[in-house]
Amino acid sequence: MIFDVPKIIAALVAFGALPGAHAFAVGRFGSLSYHGNSTIVARQSDIAPYDTDPAFNPHLNAPDISSDQLCRDHRHQEDIGNWYCQKVDQVIYTKVTKPGTYDVVTFMDNESGACTKTPRQFSGDLAPGGGAYNRIGEYHAATQTRKGVMFLGNRGGAGSGVVSGPFGASLAYSSADGLAGASSPQTIHDAPLVSHSEFVVTTDQPCDDSCGYRRPGAVTYKGFPGSARVFLFEFSMPDEPQHNGDDGNKPAIWLLNSRTPNTAQYFACNCWKSGCGELDVFEVLAPGQDKALSTFHLGDDNKSAGDANYFQRPKGGPIKVALVMDAAKGGTASIKNMGASDGARFGASLSADQVDNLKAKSGTVSEFVYPNH
């Protein structure tokens, strides 16, 4: 893929749907409108929306409603294993809560591959928030502004970090093009990111014990903490058809519990499979696909729940996307495509009214009730 680097990345936090602080990553190989209380529930995976598994369909025994019918009548597969319904401008996830435990890594041995995990409890909805949101991080490509954020990647052994057979490459400083490691902090350049580039965005605060266990030798910084968060992006995702055959041309933006990349993001020694949290915010799942989906991965044993309604991939120019993780209504996350012209470069804070505007419904909106399991 070619991923035109986000022109603006801003993170604003006041005072978690996903347990723990978060790092977010960019790259990776990878019509009828409705309003009110209508709900669409659909699962993006190899099981069709409206499957009879009650763990993924909380409306299984409820009467059909018009918005459910909207997705049911239009669901289709354009690539293997992924379902698509209607193009939407906003997806609102509600009741994103899953009290329980996940397994945190407490020891790693780069030589032997020994990996020890311990259950960690979490519970409750997103805690009550409110008031102003203050910016804690910003990246602006054109001016090469980088404030409060750090760019890392799974490039250990190339300038910084470590690499080993059992766990692969640890986090390291990312090169400016997202294709290699570096020996010191770099700023992502103001140019397109090509297929297989990837970088992780954290705060610029070095990790301490609050980060939990970190792989020895890894370059680790704190994630974005807080019960109420706003992430603002401006980016485009141009096509790169020459890489459709090598698992490329699949741009994505996603959030992880920071404990995952701090240990071994692409190996088994992490907390991901046990449910510590991932939110795919804007992900193209098949090479060359012009639709992007969002998905929560909070369940045990790789279970996921996401909306089969899709965002249009911005191939021709940049769009602005707001992700608001809201504490006010028992665990909600709103992903809103604000288009190319709305909004401007945000200041150092957002008022409660500005955040409410970001959460306001616009265009075709899909409301997804996250299923309990």
Side-chain angles (χ1 to χ4, degrees):
M1 54 110 186
I2 293 178
F3 189 10
D4 199 358
V5 293
K7 300 302 180 184
I8 300 175
I9 294 176
L12 298 102
V13 177
F15 9 60
L18 303 180
H22 306 145
F24 66 84
V26 175
R28 193 161 51 182
F29 320 129
S31 92
L32 176 68
S33 64
Y34 56 92
H35 303 279
N37 296 320
S38 296
T39 303
I40 280 186
V41 178
R43 183 184 176 204
Q44 172 267 309
S45 79
D46 56 349
I47 298 177
Y50 302 93
D51 188 79
T52 56
D53 179 359
F56 292 98
N57 191 349
H59 293 293
L60 184 63
N61 298 316
D64 289 344
I65 54 177
S66 60
S67 56
D68 283 341
Q69 192 67 39
L70 175 68
C71 193
R72 176 179 293 176
D73 290 346
H74 291 87
R75 67 187 177 115
H76 62 285
Q77 285 187 301
E78 295 184 15
D79 43 78
I80 297 174
N82 301 311
W83 290 87
Y84 302 89
C85 291
Q86 291 281 326
K87 176 180 174 294
V88 296
D89 301 294
Q90 185 175 7
V91 174
I92 300 174
Y93 290 92
T94 59
K95 298 184 179 179
V96 185
T97 100
K98 180 186 172 291
T101 63
Y102 63 90
D103 296 331
V104 299
V105 175
T106 54
F107 175 76
M108 300 175 71
D109 187 315
N110 285 327
E111 298 301 322
S112 69
C115 175
T116 303
K117 299 179 181 179
T118 303
R120 174 185 173 89
Q121 291 187 334
F122 62 93
S123 63
D125 297 341
L126 291 171
Y133 285 62
N134 297 313
R135 186 176 66 209
I136 63 172
E138 179 189 23
Y139 161 67
H140 187 248
T143 60
Q144 288 291 277
T145 298
R146 177 171 63 88
K147 297 178 180 178
V149 298
M150 190 65 65
F151 295 118
L152 308 176
N154 293 283
R155 306 288 184 178
S160 57
V162 295
V163 64
S164 68
F167 304 126
S170 76
L171 284 179
Y173 294 112
S174 177
S175 61
D177 60 7
L179 289 170
S183 60
S184 61
Q186 308 291 313
T187 300
I188 296 297
H189 62 190
D190 184 22
L193 299 173
V194 297
S195 278
H196 307 295
S197 64
E198 177 181 293
F199 61 87
V200 176
V201 186
T202 65
T203 70
D204 63 353
Q205 303 172 39
C207 263
D208 54 27
D209 289 344
S210 67
C211 294
Y213 184 86
R214 289 94 67 201
R215 178 179 174 182
V219 177
T220 58
Y221 286 79
K222 294 181 180 181
F224 299 92
S227 297
R229 279 157 281 191
V230 177
F231 296 92
L232 305 168
F233 305 91
E234 183 180 10
F235 61 91
S236 60
M237 294 178 169
D239 201 6
E240 195 183 21
Q242 66 269 32
H243 285 290
N244 283 351
D246 60 4
D247 201 35
N249 201 7
K250 298 194 299 182
I253 299 174
W254 72 105
L255 275 69
L256 287 170
N257 185 312
S258 59
R259 292 176 183 268
T260 295
N262 284 348
T263 51
Q265 181 171 337
Y266 291 116
F267 286 71
C269 192
N270 61 46
C271 61
W272 190 93
K273 189 174 182 179
S274 64
C276 65
E278 175 179 340
L279 168 56
D280 297 319
V281 178
F282 205 100
E283 181 176 24
V284 174
L285 293 171
Q289 176 60 270
D290 62 358
K291 299 174 175 62
L293 295 174
S294 62
T295 305
F296 267 103
H297 301 274
L298 297 182
D300 299 336
D301 298 322
N302 298 324
K303 285 184 178 178
S304 63
D307 197 345
N309 295 287
Y310 62 87
F311 296 109
Q312 189 68 40
R313 175 178 175 175
K315 291 182 177 180
I319 60 171
K320 295 178 176 68
V321 170
L323 166 61
V324 181
M325 303 180 74
D326 185 7
K329 295 183 179 179
T332 65
S334 172
I335 305 169
K336 184 176 182 179
N337 178 3
M338 298 183 292
S341 59
D342 293 343
R345 188 173 175 184
F346 290 91
S349 65
L350 291 177
S351 68
D353 287 343
Q354 288 174 306
V355 174
D356 285 341
N357 287 336
L358 290 177
K359 293 186 295 185
K361 299 176 183 180
S362 63
T364 304
V365 181
S366 175
E367 293 185 68
F368 183 102
V369 179
Y370 193 87
N372 293 322
H373 56 270

